[in-house]
Amino acid sequence: MDVNAAVAAAAAIAGVLTGVIAMLAFRWSEREQKRPTRTSLHTDPVLPPGVDTVLSVLRSSAVVLDEADAVVKASSAAYALGLVRGGRLSVEPMLQMARDTRRDGEIRQVELDLPRRGTGRGEALAVSARVAPLGSRLVLLLVEDLTEARRIEAVRRDFVANVSHELKTPVGALSLLSEAVMDASDDPEAVTRFAGRMQIEATRLTNLVQELIDLSRVQNDDPLEDAEPVRVDELVAEAIDRCRHQAGAKQITMAAGGTADLHVWGNRGQLAAALGNLVENAVNYSPARTRVGIAARRVTAPGGDMIEVAVTDQGIGISDKDKERIFERFYRVDPARSRATGGTGLGLAIVKHVAASHGGEVTVWSAENQGSTFTLRLPEAGAARDRAQQHPYLDGLDEETDEPTESSPYEPLPAPEVLP
């Protein structure tokens, strides 16, 4: 009998312990369900009907806060920007805006600069934050990333300022020269001299407008629409013929060499303009009685064979600090020489965009007082179509991609043919 009582008592104690454990497990489970997690923040049922659907289609980063400043819902973009961490809004100015809006119900908007996540540099994200009440207890925060828009606007503003300056110079000169012609109407020699200067300035203005048109065209047009196999020999011959007069006036010898019968795939007009700009620069920046060489060769690359066309001069060379900027619009290594030669500062920018839109690149090697070598690198015809389509199209307003890379000096021209 005592044994049966002991067994019954033990069973009763075990039952009580089981009940206590079950109750504790239930309480723990209930508490864990109430704890906010990244998943629950996106699916919390306290949001008004339809709000969750609306927030999911917004391009802006969205965060919904409750009366305790806890995050009820946050979009993935909000996490990517670093706005939400550990279930809380991590940007203090935005949090203060949310509290003020919860207190008085007014909609607030502010632009802020936030530190960029994952970089050790002092870069900042420009954002626009807008806070509005959502029902009686919740506050909605919408954040728009303005970094790219601000950068593009700054580039556009600088571009317009540079264009205005470049146009103002020849236009102002024409205005002054026309007044001088009128005042010197009784002096035929002075009229002739001023008229000659007017022709020079008019030519400079015409070249500037034409290169602006060319730059706009190569930025906006798809070269594959009118693409065809283009003989490199013909492009070299056209570039030499284009600069024959300037080279002859300075007694500069132009030589063509390298591998014959090479082809690239692309827009013939754009490729001819790009190579012509490189040869023209080489002639303009070379001293008299020197040599300019143009050579082409095939090189092996992981994505397919490439064609390199190198233009080498014996000119003044380019310093290291200038090499970082020579592909920017209107940038000139020697402004005085550019004024003398009529340069606009747009030629290399056009070359860069043509190369990029064809799936290639342009690089430069240079040393001061030793000359320069500009190398236009393009996919060979055949694999070029696929390579150009896979290459990200280069926006002319993107300054981050304007930095040229250095390459080794091109190999000496094998048995160059000196053209008359």
Side-chain angles (χ1 to χ4, degrees):
M1 193 67 176
D2 292 338
V3 174
N4 292 336
V7 171
I13 293 173
V16 171
L17 290 175
T18 301
V20 170
I21 292 173
M23 181 180 66
L24 292 176
F26 176 78
R27 291 291 181 86
W28 178 83
S29 176
E30 190 177 46
R31 185 172 58 206
E32 285 297 312
Q33 290 178 359
K34 291 181 179 180
R35 177 181 298 175
T37 63
R38 183 161 179 161
T39 303
S40 65
L41 292 175
H42 290 266
T43 58
D44 200 302
V46 301
L47 290 175
V51 172
D52 186 57
T53 303
V54 173
L55 296 182
S56 65
V57 299
L58 289 178
R59 298 182 61 182
S60 304
S61 303
V63 180
V64 179
L65 304 176
D66 61 13
E67 64 273 13
D69 293 333
V71 175
V72 176
K73 178 178 178 62
S75 64
S76 57
Y79 285 101
L81 288 178
L83 303 179
V84 178
R85 297 176 186 174
R88 310 290 294 186
L89 186 62
S90 62
V91 183
E92 185 61 32
M94 295 182 187
L95 185 58
Q96 187 59 47
M97 286 174 57
R99 291 168 179 169
D100 295 340
T101 296
R102 186 185 300 110
R103 184 180 63 253
D104 54 26
E106 293 186 5
I107 298 176
R108 289 175 168 80
Q109 184 168 351
V110 67
E111 292 188 1
L112 301 170
D113 291 333
L114 304 179
R116 190 186 296 269
R117 295 184 63 187
T119 61
R121 296 170 293 179
E123 300 177 351
L125 289 172
V127 299
S128 174
R130 186 177 179 86
V131 180
L134 186 64
S136 58
R137 298 187 306 110
L138 305 179
V139 173
L140 172 63
L141 170 67
L142 296 177
V143 179
E144 189 77 22
D145 189 354
L146 304 178
T147 307
E148 185 69 9
R150 281 191 180 181
R151 186 185 61 80
I152 292 177
E153 181 59 31
V155 173
R156 183 182 292 113
R157 185 170 56 251
D158 292 343
F159 181 73
V160 171
N162 288 332
V163 170
S164 301
H165 174 74
E166 296 297 331
L167 291 174
K168 182 179 179 180
T169 301
V171 169
L174 287 172
S175 177
L176 293 175
L177 289 169
S178 64
E179 293 179 4
V181 169
M182 294 178 63
D183 294 339
S185 57
D186 297 333
D187 186 351
E189 183 179 349
V191 170
T192 301
R193 185 172 66 255
F194 292 144
R197 290 296 307 171
M198 291 178 69
Q199 288 182 339
I200 294 175
E201 295 299 333
T203 301
R204 187 193 304 273
L205 184 60
T206 301
N207 293 338
L208 175 59
V209 172
Q210 184 59 49
E211 291 206 343
L212 285 171
I213 295 173
D214 293 341
L215 180 60
S216 176
R217 182 180 295 117
V218 300
Q219 288 180 188
N220 297 324
D221 291 352
D222 182 1
L224 295 180
E225 292 183 359
D226 301 318
E228 58 179 333
V230 181
R231 285 179 57 92
V232 176
D233 295 340
E234 294 179 358
L235 296 177
V236 173
E238 288 183 25
I240 291 176
D241 188 63
R242 168 178 168 178
C243 304
R244 192 182 302 277
H245 176 72
Q246 297 97 308
K250 300 173 65 175
Q251 299 180 15
I252 293 176
T253 301
M254 289 190 293
T259 306
D261 198 26
L262 298 176
H263 293 75
V264 294
W265 180 271
N267 184 292
R268 181 185 181 85
Q270 292 188 15
L271 293 173
L275 185 57
N277 285 344
L278 291 180
V279 176
E280 186 176 14
N281 276 359
V283 171
N284 288 338
Y285 285 89
S286 293
R289 293 178 294 276
T290 56
R291 182 171 177 269
V292 171
I294 307 98
R297 67 174 181 177
R298 179 188 293 109
V299 295
T300 303
D305 289 346
M306 303 287 289
I307 303 300
E308 287 187 351
V309 183
V311 180
T312 304
D313 63 58
Q314 297 172 326
I316 60 176
I318 306 171
S319 66
D320 291 338
K321 65 180 182 65
D322 288 323
K323 278 190 289 188
E324 297 177 356
R325 301 189 58 190
I326 56 175
F327 292 99
E328 296 179 10
R329 302 165 190 82
F330 298 111
Y331 186 81
R332 297 182 177 92
V333 174
D334 187 349
R337 183 180 292 265
S338 295
R339 286 193 295 269
T341 60
T344 63
L346 292 174
L348 290 180
I350 293 174
V351 174
K352 181 199 66 176
H353 285 284
V354 170
S357 63
H358 283 75
E361 62 178 346
V362 57
T363 59
V364 58
W365 172 91
S366 185
E368 291 186 87
N369 302 318
Q370 296 184 30
S372 304
T373 297
F374 284 85
T375 302
L376 185 61
R377 202 163 187 255
L378 299 167
E380 186 175 16
R385 184 198 299 267
D386 296 336
R387 186 183 183 94
Q389 289 176 340
Q390 295 172 0
H391 192 281
Y393 189 80
L394 182 60
D395 186 351
L397 299 179
D398 192 351
E399 297 295 327
E400 294 178 357
T401 57
D402 282 353
E403 297 183 359
T405 59
E406 294 186 352
S407 64
S408 300
Y410 201 81
E411 296 177 356
L413 301 177
E417 174 189 357
V418 179
L419 302 180

